[in-house]
Amino acid sequence: FEYDGPHMKTSVPGPLSLALQKQLGEIQNVQSLNFFCDYEESRGNYLVDVDGNRMLDVYTQIASIPIGYNHPALMNIMTNPRNLSSFVNRPALGMLPPRMFPEKLLDGLISVAPKGFKRVQTMACGSCANENAYKAIFIWYRTKQRGHSDPTSEETTSSVINLAPGCPDLSILSFMGGFHGRTLGCLSTTHTKAIQKLDVPAFDWPIAPFPKLRYPLAQYERENAQEEKRCLEEVEDLIVKWEKKGKPVAGIVIEPIQAEGGDNYASFDFFRKLRAIAKKHGSAFLVDEVQTGGGSTGLFWAHEHWRLDDPADIVSFSKKLLTGGFFYKDEFQPDKPMRIFNTWMGDPTRNMFLSEVLKVMRTENLLDQVNRTGHVMLNGLYDLQARYPHLLSKARGLGTFCAIDVKDEDTRNKLILKARNKGVVLGGCGTQSIRFRPALVFKEHHAQLFLSIFSDTLADM
Amino acid sequence: FEYDGPHMKTSVPGPLSLALQKQLGEIQNVQSLNFFCDYEESRGNYLVDVDGNRMLDVYTQIASIPIGYNHPALMNIMTNPRNLSSFVNRPALGMLPPRMFPEKLLDGLISVAPKGFKRVQTMACGSCANENAYKAIFIWYRTKQRGHSDPTSEETTSSVINLAPGCPDLSILSFMGGFHGRTLGCLSTTHTKAIQKLDVPAFDWPIAPFPKLRYPLAQYERENAQEEKRCLEEVEDLIVKWEKKGKPVAGIVIEPIQAEGGDNYASFDFFRKLRAIAKKHGSAFLVDEVQTGGGSTGLFWAHEHWRLDDPADIVSFSKKLLTGGFFYKDEFQPDKPMRIFNTWMGDPTRNMFLSEVLKVMRTENLLDQVNRTGHVMLNGLYDLQARYPHLLSKARGLGTFCAIDVKDEDTRNKLILKARNKGVVLGGCGTQSIRFRPALVFKEHHAQLFLSIFSDTLADM
Ligand code: FES
């Protein structure tokens, strides 16, 4: 089924990609465009472009392809005539769901619900997942404050015109380097690059420092523990400060690994303590697994590594889960209809695909695969950073969710382009990191192939 | 192809719907649920539920089904094996679009671009369409203020932590009764029902009154003109006031017909004057065609009825267009990549469907059909409100985009449920209106059938 290696015919983007880019440039901004793809010819871990270049994909559409391109199990869905009407007639899921919807939730999302969760709300992407998770948190917080769910008439009247008490001054606490999406609510909790935020109004919400760990971790245990302690103290200070400011922290949002922000890690202990702080101050604890969820860290959910005694309140997801959405505890379900609502509320065809993906993950033991491949990847990266200490540092990872730092942004960008011309698709994150985001079907031999090409690329630098 | 009329076997929701609702209720909030559908059995204007009830659909999944259920032209896309990989491999469109993407934009969205537009950005739904349209407006406004695009280092540094000058205090002016989505940015411009906004923090942005026209229009010409004048003056006052407050109005957002808010109309002249006011004060003019776009008003875009000399700056869409997104003038394209960006940036399979929908609209002259059917609908509604003046009033519409008021909310809701049990699916809007949102393939005889069932229902009240 799969190809046996990269095969390059032109430099990338090739002439056909460039011609199409010119055409598309008449219609929209194409500055972020890499190249045009031939998805029909792509297979498994190999992405084929329109110029016939075949590349090993270690980025997978910004970490959103779970089991590779054109997986036969997913193609099967498309060839079953009974499924086709689901694609043609997109329902308003919140009002008129298809017959199979509950079943597909049960053998899909609910079957992989993180410990402590029985409820899930689908949404169409990571941004609406988080936006609606924030809303569920605000509604929960105010209902708790009121002691009951019935608002006063002053609250209902003022809410329609954006004023308190109906639209209260509540806040979500986020972390420097965190990324939670780009719509205006999410963007107020996103703190990665200026270019993503510049010129856009934001809510005045508290931002805590995320631990800056020193590597190698084993060598800096004491300093890192100190750094995490400092950040947690700052979280508590901010909660108190914002409460005094009249903008109480209704919820705390955090990624298990700050992905866009540069694959920044904190210890599992840090997260457990953070969860306790949220509880202590009556703030909801929201774990954003949009990029980390779906198995690439070696567990289905990255936050399962923490072994929380007290589960999170909400866990949001998208990307590899194919549908957006969020798991939530009972008390985060609004008491009334239409509070968490929109036209589509997700897309049931994505739930159909997800059920198949999960079946493949189980029958092919893909979480084990991820752990084995991750081992090869990370050891290979350790080896490369030892051989190229002037270029590489801070190799890190969980499962195949790995990253490495390059000496500066410019060199990082060059390295990515050079690797691409040798047949490997990579993505950057943070200011100077490369993030590795292969599909779950990326095997040991793919990792070895990647490492060998990456090593050649480094030798050329 | 289509059925010849409604056919009811049980009351709605029937026993199977109720059983499924119970099952789904264990997983999520089901208070907004109407019934479960059998999309495979649905055809054209008829929606079939899981209990085998076949209903004439005059609501079409909240106005989002353009040419009816399971249209053969759309089913054909699904049976062409060359198309299937597009469904299975969802690309990160902003970086790695498929080969056909520019072509599908050209024979799709660009082929129906409103006068004055050559550029379009796809998004995945109406909310991200508007959120990103707002961002494009803020970026445009600040770039204009600076006189160039390069921010100061103070701006970039402050933007990451939500502070001015990087995150400026700019605003979007919206209207009472307007609806533009439910994510936090959009929600700050939505002012329909309290339940949609209660407990959710909002930006302090100006809200202008939308004209409350008196019906019949012909009888209240002078009063209505006066009312529109008052609203326009208020818009100018608010722009000045918010400028003084340090929160300049970067853009004005408005629907051609306030759809969720109760199918509220203003004269074409009102909109032309509003456009001029936006221009005069240097605010962008954004027309939200999420519910009105796609042909149901008898023109492809409802705002084409206005015959603007000076086109809008941005036009957003979703629903019947199948993909979300917005058309924009050249100067609203950000100068740098990644400012308007997210993982998926839409879904190219929706563009494939849209091209087919447009082909069907052309070959079957569906805009003419809408005008003919709309004529039957509106005359029928006039007739019914003359026969039931104690129940109905304010019949109004453009094309098949029609509505009528019922004497109170409670009666409206009962009427909708009773009509459903007679085989007609309807939706409410505002506090006491019924909105009619049939597909573009709703013909004169469907309108007559609907009117006759609706008349029976009224007789029963
Ligand atoms: S905001 Fe998620 S799909 Fe539009």
Side-chain angles (χ1 to χ4, degrees):
Chain A
F1 165 70
E2 212 187 49
Y3 299 107
D4 57 4
H7 181 75
M8 303 304 287
K9 292 185 173 170
T10 72
S11 66
V12 180
L16 190 46
S17 265
L18 289 171
L20 287 164
Q21 175 159 359
K22 189 150 175 276
Q23 192 184 12
L24 188 58
E26 305 282 315
I27 303 174
Q28 55 188 227
N29 193 324
V30 289
Q31 290 170 294
S32 60
L33 201 139
N34 292 356
F35 51 85
F36 282 81
C37 302
D38 186 336
Y39 288 103
E40 224 182 316
E41 290 301 314
S42 301
R43 296 268 180 288
N45 295 287
Y46 290 93
L47 178 60
V48 177
D49 77 2
V50 289
D51 290 283
N53 299 298
R54 184 205 300 157
M55 291 160 271
L56 185 65
D57 193 354
V58 197
Y59 194 37
T60 61
Q61 312 293 327
I62 323 183
S64 69
I65 300 285
I67 53 172
Y69 296 102
N70 289 313
H71 194 288
L74 303 185
M75 293 304 280
N76 268 343
I77 285 187
M78 303 303 301
T79 46
N80 180 344
R82 299 215 51 207
N83 291 335
L84 304 190
S85 75
S86 303
F87 289 89
V88 168
N89 311 292
R90 187 172 185 179
L93 263 184
M95 301 179 120
L96 299 160
R99 182 199 300 255
M100 300 299 283
F101 190 58
E103 188 183 317
K104 286 292 148 202
L105 285 180
L106 286 171
D107 70 21
L109 289 168
I110 293 295
S111 79
V112 292
K115 202 182 124 201
F117 292 95
K118 300 186 311 268
R119 296 187 163 268
V120 70
Q121 179 59 61
T122 55
M123 285 285 155
C125 79
S127 290
C128 37
N130 281 330
E131 291 272 343
N132 282 284
Y134 296 174
K135 286 170 68 172
I137 287 171
F138 294 132
I139 292 169
W140 161 83
Y141 192 89
R142 286 291 296 139
T143 306
K144 201 172 53 149
Q145 276 189 329
R146 270 186 214 110
H148 55 84
S149 65
D150 288 323
T152 63
S153 74
E154 196 196 348
E155 284 175 314
T156 51
T157 315
S158 59
S159 73
V160 180
I161 49 172
N162 294 10
L163 296 179
C167 293
D169 243 342
L170 297 175
S171 63
I172 300 283
L173 182 142
S174 55
F175 289 83
M176 274 307 287
F179 183 99
H180 304 286
R182 292 159 172 270
T183 46
L184 268 58
C186 292
L187 195 62
S188 292
T189 57
T190 288
H191 317 286
T192 36
K193 297 203 179 79
I195 200 69
Q196 298 162 344
K197 296 187 48 94
L198 184 71
D199 298 341
V200 183
F203 287 105
D204 175 29
W205 291 351
I207 309 160
F210 189 83
K212 282 198 200 318
L213 301 189
R214 295 185 67 183
Y215 284 76
L217 296 176
Q219 197 178 315
Y220 293 101
E221 246 174 70
R222 209 169 37 98
E223 289 86 340
N224 289 340
Q226 197 52 42
E227 165 69 356
E228 294 194 338
K229 189 157 171 277
R230 178 186 75 87
C231 293
L232 290 170
E233 282 166 8
E234 182 76 9
V235 168
E236 290 215 62
D237 287 353
L238 286 168
I239 293 176
V240 172
K241 206 168 140 194
W242 250 254
E243 171 85 42
K244 279 199 194 125
K245 250 178 122 165
K247 302 181 178 184
V249 173
I252 296 178
V253 62
I254 196 160
E255 298 155 276
I257 301 161
Q258 288 191 330
E260 298 295 319
D263 273 29
N264 307 323
Y265 286 78
S267 73
F268 303 155
D269 187 55
F270 171 84
F271 291 102
R272 285 191 294 260
K273 287 185 174 139
L274 183 65
R275 201 284 162 261
I277 290 174
K279 180 79 144 220
K280 175 178 159 197
H281 292 274
S283 309
F285 188 56
L286 162 52
V287 181
D288 177 341
E289 291 251 23
V290 168
Q291 189 152 170
T292 50
S296 51
T297 68
L299 292 176
F300 197 91
W301 301 105
H303 82 276
E304 291 178 291
H305 290 281
W306 309 340
R307 303 185 170 282
L308 291 177
D309 295 322
D310 185 11
D313 293 308
I314 301 194
V315 174
S316 61
F317 53 82
S318 186
K319 289 191 183 260
K320 272 197 183 53
L321 277 290
L322 304 176
T323 172
F326 56 95
F327 296 100
Y328 60 95
K329 286 193 182 150
D330 290 0
E331 57 268 37
F332 288 81
Q333 176 157 302
D335 54 306
K336 296 208 173 60
M338 302 287 185
R339 301 193 74 172
I340 301 290
F341 189 83
N342 59 47
T343 301
W344 286 319
M345 304 282 277
D347 178 344
T349 65
R350 301 285 139 194
N351 295 78
M352 248 160 59
F353 282 130
L354 176 62
S355 290
E356 278 315 298
V357 166
L358 296 177
K359 220 182 280 171
V360 170
M361 285 183 71
R362 284 166 196 137
T363 51
E364 300 185 12
N365 283 314
L366 290 184
L367 288 182
D368 289 349
Q369 179 65 62
V370 164
N371 284 310
R372 290 197 306 274
T373 306
H375 196 72
V376 175
M377 281 285 283
L378 198 53
N379 282 331
L381 293 172
Y382 286 146
D383 180 50
L384 287 173
Q385 88 182 1
R387 279 164 54 204
Y388 297 95
H390 55 296
L391 280 177
L392 302 179
S393 65
K394 288 178 65 177
R396 56 203 183 276
L398 262 181
T400 55
F401 198 104
C402 297
I404 199 160
D405 277 15
V406 185
K407 74 168 202 231
D408 57 44
E409 184 168 5
D410 212 43
T411 312
R412 188 265 315 265
N413 296 346
K414 271 190 203 130
L415 196 52
I416 290 176
L417 292 183
K418 265 183 194 289
R420 196 166 73 185
N421 280 325
K422 287 185 191 288
V424 168
V425 179
L426 294 174
C429 66
T431 46
Q432 62 199 85
S433 305
I434 298 180
R435 55 177 150 177
F436 306 104
R437 298 289 186 272
L440 307 173
V441 293
F442 198 77
K443 301 202 165 139
E444 293 92 326
H445 70 90
H446 297 110
Q448 271 142 6
L449 186 55
F450 151 70
L451 288 163
S452 119
I453 297 172
F454 195 49
S455 167
D456 288 354
T457 317
L458 289 161
D460 283 2
M461 291 296 280
Chain B
F1 165 69
E2 212 186 48
Y3 299 107
D4 57 5
H7 181 74
M8 303 304 288
K9 294 185 173 168
T10 72
S11 67
V12 180
L16 190 47
S17 264
L18 289 171
L20 287 165
Q21 175 159 0
K22 188 148 176 275
Q23 192 184 13
L24 188 57
E26 305 283 314
I27 303 175
Q28 55 188 227
N29 193 324
V30 290
Q31 289 169 295
S32 60
L33 202 140
N34 293 356
F35 52 83
F36 282 81
C37 302
D38 186 337
Y39 287 103
E40 225 181 317
E41 289 301 314
S42 301
R43 295 270 179 287
N45 295 288
Y46 289 94
L47 178 60
V48 177
D49 77 2
V50 289
D51 290 284
N53 299 298
R54 184 204 301 156
M55 291 160 270
L56 184 64
D57 193 353
V58 197
Y59 193 37
T60 60
Q61 312 292 325
I62 323 182
S64 69
I65 301 286
I67 52 173
Y69 296 102
N70 289 313
H71 194 288
L74 303 185
M75 293 304 278
N76 268 343
I77 284 188
M78 303 302 300
T79 46
N80 181 346
R82 298 216 53 206
N83 291 336
L84 304 189
S85 75
S86 303
F87 290 88
V88 168
N89 311 292
R90 187 171 184 178
L93 263 184
M95 300 179 118
L96 298 160
R99 184 200 299 257
M100 299 299 283
F101 190 58
E103 187 182 319
K104 286 291 147 201
L105 285 180
L106 286 171
D107 69 23
L109 290 167
I110 293 295
S111 79
V112 292
K115 203 182 124 202
F117 292 95
K118 298 185 315 264
R119 297 188 163 266
V120 71
Q121 179 59 61
T122 56
M123 285 286 156
C125 78
S127 290
C128 38
N130 281 331
E131 290 273 344
N132 281 285
Y134 296 175
K135 287 170 67 172
I137 287 171
F138 294 132
I139 293 169
W140 162 82
Y141 192 89
R142 286 291 296 140
T143 306
K144 201 171 53 148
Q145 276 190 328
R146 271 187 213 107
H148 55 85
S149 64
D150 288 323
T152 63
S153 73
E154 196 196 348
E155 283 175 314
T156 51
T157 315
S158 58
S159 73
V160 179
I161 49 173
N162 293 12
L163 298 179
C167 294
D169 243 342
L170 297 176
S171 63
I172 300 284
L173 182 144
S174 54
F175 289 83
M176 275 307 287
F179 183 99
H180 304 286
R182 292 159 171 271
T183 47
L184 268 60
C186 292
L187 195 62
S188 292
T189 56
T190 287
H191 317 286
T192 36
K193 297 204 181 78
I195 199 68
Q196 298 163 345
K197 297 188 47 94
L198 185 71
D199 299 340
V200 183
F203 286 104
D204 175 28
W205 291 350
I207 309 160
F210 189 84
K212 282 198 199 318
L213 301 189
R214 295 185 67 182
Y215 285 74
L217 295 178
Q219 197 176 315
Y220 292 101
E221 244 174 71
R222 210 168 37 98
E223 289 87 340
N224 289 339
Q226 197 52 42
E227 165 70 355
E228 294 194 338
K229 189 156 170 276
R230 177 187 76 87
C231 294
L232 290 171
E233 281 166 6
E234 183 77 9
V235 168
E236 291 215 61
D237 286 353
L238 286 167
I239 293 176
V240 172
K241 206 167 142 194
W242 249 255
E243 171 85 41
K244 278 198 194 126
K245 248 179 123 165
K247 302 181 178 184
V249 174
I252 296 176
V253 63
I254 197 160
E255 298 154 276
I257 302 162
Q258 287 191 331
E260 298 296 319
D263 274 28
N264 307 322
Y265 286 77
S267 72
F268 302 155
D269 187 54
F270 171 83
F271 291 103
R272 284 191 293 261
K273 285 183 175 141
L274 182 66
R275 200 288 163 260
I277 289 173
K279 179 78 145 219
K280 174 178 161 197
H281 292 274
S283 309
F285 188 56
L286 162 53
V287 181
D288 177 341
E289 292 250 22
V290 168
Q291 189 153 170
T292 49
S296 52
T297 67
L299 292 176
F300 197 91
W301 301 105
H303 81 277
E304 292 177 293
H305 289 281
W306 309 340
R307 301 185 173 281
L308 291 177
D309 293 323
D310 185 12
D313 292 309
I314 300 195
V315 174
S316 62
F317 54 82
S318 186
K319 289 192 185 264
K320 272 197 182 56
L321 277 290
L322 304 177
T323 173
F326 56 95
F327 295 97
Y328 60 96
K329 286 194 183 151
D330 290 359
E331 57 268 38
F332 288 81
Q333 177 158 301
D335 54 308
K336 295 208 174 59
M338 301 289 184
R339 302 193 73 171
I340 301 290
F341 190 84
N342 59 47
T343 301
W344 286 320
M345 305 283 276
D347 178 342
T349 65
R350 300 285 138 193
N351 295 77
M352 246 160 59
F353 282 130
L354 176 62
S355 291
E356 279 315 298
V357 166
L358 296 177
K359 220 182 280 174
V360 169
M361 285 183 70
R362 283 167 195 137
T363 50
E364 300 184 12
N365 283 315
L366 289 183
L367 287 182
D368 289 349
Q369 179 65 61
V370 164
N371 284 310
R372 289 196 306 274
T373 306
H375 196 72
V376 175
M377 282 285 283
L378 198 53
N379 281 331
L381 293 173
Y382 286 146
D383 181 51
L384 287 173
Q385 87 181 1
R387 279 163 55 204
Y388 297 96
H390 56 296
L391 279 177
L392 302 179
S393 64
K394 287 179 65 177
R396 55 203 184 274
L398 261 182
T400 55
F401 199 104
C402 296
I404 199 159
D405 277 14
V406 185
K407 75 168 201 235
D408 56 43
E409 183 168 3
D410 212 44
T411 312
R412 189 265 315 264
N413 296 346
K414 271 191 203 127
L415 195 53
I416 289 176
L417 291 183
K418 265 184 195 286
R420 196 166 72 185
N421 279 326
K422 289 185 190 288
V424 169
V425 179
L426 293 175
C429 66
T431 47
Q432 62 200 85
S433 305
I434 298 179
R435 54 177 150 177
F436 306 105
R437 298 289 185 272
L440 306 174
V441 293
F442 198 78
K443 301 202 163 141
E444 292 92 326
H445 70 90
H446 297 110
Q448 270 141 7
L449 186 56
F450 151 71
L451 288 164
S452 119
I453 298 173
F454 195 49
S455 168
D456 287 355
T457 316
L458 289 161
D460 283 1
M461 291 297 280

